[in-house]
Amino acid sequence: MTTTAVQMPKAVGERQPMIGPKGRHSAETLLDEGNQQLAGNNFPAAVANYRRALDLNPRLVEAAYNCGVALHKQGRLESAVDYYKQAIRLRPDLAEAYFNLAHALSDLNYTAEAEAAYRAVLRLQPRNAAAAYNLGLLYKYKGQYGEAVTAFTAALDIRPDYAEAHNNIGVIWRDQNHLEQARVCFEKALAAKPEMVEALFNLGVVRYKQGDFANAQEHFKRALTCNPQYAPARWFYHLALPMYYEREADIRLYRDRFRRHLKQLVNEIRLDTPQAKRHALEGIATFTNFYLQYQGLDDRDLQQEYGALATRVMAANFPQWAVPRPMPAVGSGGRIRLGYLSSCMHGHTIGVFLLGWIEKLDRGRFELFCYHVGDRTDALTESIRAASDHFFHFPGQVLPAAGRIDADRLHILVHTDIGMNPVTLQLAALRLAPVQCKGWGHPVTTGLPTIDYYLSSDLMEPAQAEQHYTEKLVRLPNLALNYSPPALPSAPKTRMQLGIPEHAVVYLSTQSLFKYLPQHDDIYPRIAAEVPDSLFVFLAHGERQVTDLFAKRLAAAFASRNLAPRCIFLPRLNHADFLSMNMAADVLLDTLEWSGGKTSLEAIACDLPVVTLPGCFMRGRHTYAFLTRMGLTQTIAADKAAYMRLAARLGADPLFRAEIKEFIRSRKHLLFNDTRVNEALEAFYIQACRPALCATPPTTGVGVPAP
């Protein structure tokens, strides 16, 4: 979850105009009258008098600067910039003009010029804490987080009680999952300003991410006590769901609470004033109902209700992007303009799968635009950039991304991970292309009326799956993936090196801990009762508190059957060590209700037998599809009891295990490098753009055959 807890300060309002002494000449008189009108908020009259004064005396620096202030207060930023620059030319040491100039330029998104102007302020006034702080905000907006922390720290060196600087450093640490460092920053902010709603809210988010739902809710309530209109706290208080449940009954309890509070929020949201629109946008910009999908239930109706709310809020704030878009004609080159938007264009499962879609794209038929709205970049980012005709990076930036997509006049826009974070949801709730699709990066319906198609896997979808989606379901062939197998380590680490006992029967379960539902904890002790030397290996959560909560729940499940826990939690591993772990294990236990995706594919690449129980929804059927594609039905369970029997047999019967490993070794090639999905995707895109293609006059360029 990403939130900008402190907005760019309206520094114009913090400064007083430079008022010169009243003189006998008419230029000075006009300046004096302009200053009085500026003080009385009569900005148009003030601007008129300042301009007349400058006509009479072009070197009157006070008139140039104050005219910039008056224009800035009216929101006429380009004109304000001109007058600030005029004042600086007349008086190069006027730090106030540089400060306001920087603020106006940053609002205009001229970030390089704004940075230079803030640095000019700091050269003239090295102890200007506000300039250092604003420079930090600018770097934070650009995604240059190291530079942002340096600038905020400089502001704190000048003003140790600068609560906003503490808070913003905390936001950076929090969003990079350095939660304890973030907690310290927010507590310092609250020590300086005890009722700072942003810090109270942000501390609540830290507690939420640490798995302490009750403590988080208390902080959200405290923030709302200080400011009942503070939208981020309001949305989190009403709609946040735990990442972890003690009992199955808690799922229904919190789900019912979510449903009631969502209806309450929908009824309370007003969009009839600029302030009301802004507050609602701040809520959408902070929250996503990510954890709703991990309850193992049908989310279509709730997703649709939340999607309608998100679309209504975004349409009220950005009406230019809330209307149907006509299909542009295909240009003389005959290529369809296809865009992909993602916050995961880096070494993330979604980024890896996306690369398989775009690397084989027919560039004679398609012009490819990629929009990365996440913070992280790495080697995979560069691979996606290299595969694109046009690549843009807007880290966490909704408006620049939307403006760029609008200007590119796409035929089709595909969102890969709607709902993973607020930025992707906000952009998906706009109409930025005539055809908008969702890839299965986050495998659940978006509920958004702005998304037309859901691109899914034919093997993963159950019968009548269409009823699970508000979008029109498109069943791509096989796994809907063109994924290359991972390169296995030539010298994999041993069990001893990984911290796994040498002689145990090792069952891996390598999903994020919030995927494990309490009603299925009994799987592990029941298998353990049948396989006495069994050991269950999980991956720890990034936050120790979350791991401890899950470990405690598992211990209770073992104790209920008079067994000591046989579970260990390995730390997060690099990719080579993760593959080594799969090569060293005996069995992979797929999670119920939300199946493994890339993790299961990598286990199969290591010839590791996998037990799965397909769920009711696509998100619980990934591994089922992989095994079905290979023709390996022996480890697909029909029910939970069969799942446990299969798992126990694989652990207790080395010959059966070896037979399954050999079957995987001979058939796993069927899961990888499947170009049929690329062909089907291109055929679908061409069909979706048929009106544009039909409207295009024949050319001697590349032809586009019918799908």
Side-chain angles (χ1 to χ4, degrees), residues 60 172 303 522 655:
L60 195 58
I172 292 171
Q303 286 286 92
D522 62 323
L655 291 178

Side-chain angles (χ1 to χ4, degrees), residues 20-32:
K22 184 175 180 181
R24 294 171 295 170
H25 305 293
S26 57
E28 293 177 349
T29 301
L30 290 166
L31 171 63
D32 186 57

Side-chain angles (χ1 to χ4, degrees), residues 455-476:
L455 307 177
S456 187
S457 155
D458 186 43
L459 284 179
M460 294 179 191
E461 293 290 355
Q464 285 99 39
E466 288 78 7
Q467 65 188 339
H468 301 155
Y469 296 93
T470 59
E471 308 84 0
K472 185 172 182 180
L473 182 62
V474 177
R475 295 173 181 260
L476 296 172

Side-chain angles (χ1 to χ4, degrees), residues 282-478:
E282 288 170 354
I284 287 287
T286 339
F287 180 81
T288 178
N289 53 336
F290 176 81
Y291 287 111
L292 177 68
Q293 289 87 58
Y294 293 90
Q295 295 181 330
L297 300 169
D298 188 350
D299 299 320
R300 185 185 189 277
D301 291 345
L302 290 174
Q303 286 286 92
Q304 187 169 21
E305 191 169 358
Y306 187 75
L309 174 61
T311 303
R312 186 160 63 95
V313 171
M314 294 301 289
N317 283 276
F318 308 107
Q320 72 274 28
W321 294 320
V323 294
R325 299 179 73 94
M327 179 68 73
V330 173
S332 59
R335 293 202 296 171
I336 292 169
R337 292 190 294 280
L338 169 65
Y340 284 98
L341 187 149
S342 176
S343 64
C344 298
M345 290 184 180
H346 58 86
H348 185 282
T349 296
I350 291 170
V352 171
F353 288 168
L354 173 61
L355 186 63
W357 277 12
I358 65 178
E359 277 193 319
K360 304 297 183 184
L361 187 71
D362 186 340
R363 306 301 277 279
R365 296 179 179 180
F366 297 92
E367 184 177 2
L368 181 59
F369 298 75
C370 283
Y371 309 93
H372 180 27
V373 296
D375 294 334
R376 287 184 53 192
T377 59
D378 56 21
L380 190 84
T381 312
E382 294 311 307
S383 295
I384 293 174
R385 186 193 301 272
S388 308
D389 292 295
H390 314 276
F391 182 92
F392 304 96
H393 187 200
F394 301 105
Q397 300 167 12
V398 172
L399 284 182
R404 180 70 261 170
I405 297 167
D406 182 21
D408 289 338
R409 300 183 69 246
L410 301 177
H411 297 97
I412 300 176
L413 176 61
V414 181
H415 298 259
T416 63
D417 47 294
I418 298 168
M420 296 281 284
N421 55 60
V423 174
T424 58
L425 178 70
Q426 287 177 273
L427 287 164
L430 299 172
R431 176 57 72 174
L432 299 173
V435 176
Q436 301 194 148
C437 308
K438 167 69 171 67
W440 67 270
H442 202 225
V444 67
T445 183
T446 68
L448 294 166
T450 49
I451 302 300
D452 308 302
Y453 297 96
Y454 195 100
L455 307 177
S456 187
S457 155
D458 186 43
L459 284 179
M460 294 179 191
E461 293 290 355
Q464 285 99 39
E466 288 78 7
Q467 65 188 339
H468 301 155
Y469 296 93
T470 59
E471 308 84 0
K472 185 172 182 180
L473 182 62
V474 177
R475 295 173 181 260
L476 296 172
N478 300 329

Side-chain angles (χ1 to χ4, degrees), residues 443-671:
V444 67
T445 183
T446 68
L448 294 166
T450 49
I451 302 300
D452 308 302
Y453 297 96
Y454 195 100
L455 307 177
S456 187
S457 155
D458 186 43
L459 284 179
M460 294 179 191
E461 293 290 355
Q464 285 99 39
E466 288 78 7
Q467 65 188 339
H468 301 155
Y469 296 93
T470 59
E471 308 84 0
K472 185 172 182 180
L473 182 62
V474 177
R475 295 173 181 260
L476 296 172
N478 300 329
L479 309 177
L481 298 175
N482 184 352
Y483 173 60
S484 299
L488 302 183
S490 56
K493 284 189 175 179
T494 65
R495 285 189 176 187
M496 182 179 295
Q497 289 171 312
L498 292 166
I500 300 173
E502 188 65 37
H503 301 294
V505 175
V506 175
Y507 290 91
L508 284 189
S509 194
T510 53
Q511 296 303 306
S512 297
L513 297 187
F514 50 77
K515 289 186 179 181
Y516 295 84
L517 298 176
Q519 61 266 35
H520 302 311
D521 289 351
D522 62 323
I523 285 173
Y524 310 103
R526 285 177 182 269
I527 295 171
E530 300 296 323
V531 186
D533 51 352
S534 57
L535 178 72
F536 301 89
V537 178
F538 301 89
L539 291 181
H541 190 273
E543 289 303 309
R544 182 184 54 80
Q545 298 94 318
V546 177
T547 303
D548 289 347
L549 287 169
F550 180 61
K552 182 180 177 182
R553 205 178 72 190
L554 282 181
F558 275 84
S560 69
R561 288 167 175 79
N562 297 315
L563 292 172
R566 300 183 200 161
C567 307
I568 63 171
F569 291 84
L570 296 184
R572 293 283 168 170
L573 306 172
N574 63 42
H575 193 229
D577 288 352
F578 180 81
L579 293 172
S580 293
M581 179 181 64
N582 279 273
M583 296 170 76
D586 294 302
V587 182
L588 179 70
L589 296 176
D590 195 25
T591 36
L592 278 64
E593 313 300 350
W594 191 300
S595 172
K598 181 168 168 282
T599 51
S600 292
L601 283 171
E602 289 176 332
I604 291 168
C606 296
D607 305 327
L608 182 62
V610 186
V611 183
T612 193
L613 172 59
C616 299
F617 310 105
M618 181 261 205
R619 58 189 180 271
R621 300 170 65 88
H622 305 331
T623 303
Y624 163 81
F626 305 153
L627 300 182
T628 300
R629 174 71 174 146
M630 291 192 296
L632 179 56
T633 58
Q634 296 96 311
T635 60
I636 299 174
D639 54 36
K640 189 171 166 180
Y643 177 101
M644 292 183 283
R645 285 196 302 272
L646 281 169
R649 183 184 175 193
L650 279 167
D653 186 345
L655 291 178
F656 179 54
R657 192 161 68 238
E659 176 187 327
I660 297 300
K661 288 174 72 75
E662 182 55 39
F663 190 99
I664 292 172
R665 189 176 294 114
S666 66
R667 302 280 291 175
K668 64 185 178 183
H669 65 277
L670 295 172
L671 304 182

Side-chain angles (χ1 to χ4, degrees), residues 119-350:
R119 292 204 172 279
V121 177
L122 290 167
R123 282 195 300 272
L124 294 165
Q125 297 178 342
R127 302 289 295 171
N128 190 320
Y133 171 75
N134 282 8
L135 185 60
L137 286 178
L138 189 67
Y139 283 132
K140 181 169 173 282
Y141 174 77
K142 292 163 65 177
Q144 296 174 238
Y145 299 116
E147 291 88 341
V149 169
T150 299
F152 291 137
T153 302
L156 288 167
D157 289 340
I158 302 164
R159 263 184 58 189
D161 64 344
Y162 205 149
E164 289 77 9
H166 284 301
N167 183 67
N168 272 281
I169 294 174
V171 169
I172 292 171
W173 291 137
R174 186 202 67 200
D175 290 347
Q176 294 179 356
N177 285 321
H178 301 304
L179 298 187
E180 278 304 300
Q181 290 169 270
R183 179 188 61 78
V184 171
C185 292
F186 297 139
E187 288 177 350
K188 287 181 178 179
L190 289 168
K193 192 180 286 189
E195 294 191 351
M196 184 179 182
V197 292
E198 296 89 354
L200 283 167
F201 167 74
N202 288 328
L203 188 54
V205 174
V206 165
R207 295 305 191 193
Y208 182 65
K209 295 180 82 167
Q210 291 178 326
D212 191 348
F213 184 78
N215 196 310
Q217 288 291 87
E218 284 302 313
H219 280 86
F220 300 146
K221 285 172 67 176
R222 284 180 59 195
L224 290 171
T225 300
C226 295
N227 180 2
Q229 300 305 312
Y230 187 62
R234 186 180 178 201
W235 286 62
F236 260 82
Y237 177 72
H238 280 297
L239 300 180
L241 288 162
M243 70 168 72
Y244 162 89
Y245 299 98
E246 286 278 357
R247 297 168 297 276
E248 182 178 7
D250 292 342
I251 297 174
R252 290 289 182 184
L253 180 72
Y254 283 108
R255 190 176 184 86
D256 289 344
R257 181 186 186 276
F258 178 90
R259 181 180 290 106
R260 292 194 312 273
H261 282 241
L262 176 58
K263 290 185 182 301
Q264 179 182 340
L265 199 60
V266 168
N267 292 334
E268 290 176 355
I269 290 293
R270 294 290 178 266
L271 300 169
D272 50 355
T273 67
Q275 184 181 40
K277 293 177 188 178
R278 186 178 70 252
H279 283 167
L281 182 62
E282 288 170 354
I284 287 287
T286 339
F287 180 81
T288 178
N289 53 336
F290 176 81
Y291 287 111
L292 177 68
Q293 289 87 58
Y294 293 90
Q295 295 181 330
L297 300 169
D298 188 350
D299 299 320
R300 185 185 189 277
D301 291 345
L302 290 174
Q303 286 286 92
Q304 187 169 21
E305 191 169 358
Y306 187 75
L309 174 61
T311 303
R312 186 160 63 95
V313 171
M314 294 301 289
N317 283 276
F318 308 107
Q320 72 274 28
W321 294 320
V323 294
R325 299 179 73 94
M327 179 68 73
V330 173
S332 59
R335 293 202 296 171
I336 292 169
R337 292 190 294 280
L338 169 65
Y340 284 98
L341 187 149
S342 176
S343 64
C344 298
M345 290 184 180
H346 58 86
H348 185 282
T349 296
I350 291 170

